[in-house]
Amino acid sequence: MSFWTDALRALQQVALLQHKVDQALTTAEEARRHSIETRERVIRLETLIDIAMKRQPSAPPPAQPALPESPQAGS
């Protein structure tokens, strides 16, 4: 009877191992998809920042000092 008990226990361990492998594969696939989504989001953000920096107006030229007004003739 020990043979059948050992065989059944071995089959249970194989089934449990297969289940754990399936879970690990699912987790790895989810992590891969998350990584791809994150990379795509970063690329979009980098693009938006690059566009915003290119559209940013350059600094206005420094204001010229005001010229003194000429005195009114005949006052």
Side-chain angles (χ1 to χ4, degrees):
M1 202 67 162
S2 162
F3 169 77
W4 294 111
T5 304
D6 291 343
L8 182 59
R9 188 170 296 141
L11 287 174
Q12 287 174 337
Q13 288 177 348
V14 167
L16 180 62
L17 181 60
Q18 181 63 44
H19 177 70
K20 288 183 177 183
V21 167
D22 290 341
Q23 282 182 331
L25 289 173
T26 301
T27 302
E29 178 61 25
E30 289 172 0
R32 185 187 72 80
R33 274 190 271 120
H34 180 71
S35 174
I36 290 171
E37 290 172 4
T38 301
R39 183 177 57 213
E40 289 172 353
R41 288 179 179 175
V42 168
I43 290 169
R44 284 194 297 265
L45 287 172
E46 288 174 337
T47 303
L48 287 173
I49 291 170
D50 189 44
I51 291 170
M53 290 179 75
K54 288 179 180 176
R55 285 188 178 179
Q56 183 177 17
S58 59
Q64 296 180 354
L67 298 174
E69 293 186 20
S70 59
Q72 293 285 339
S75 302

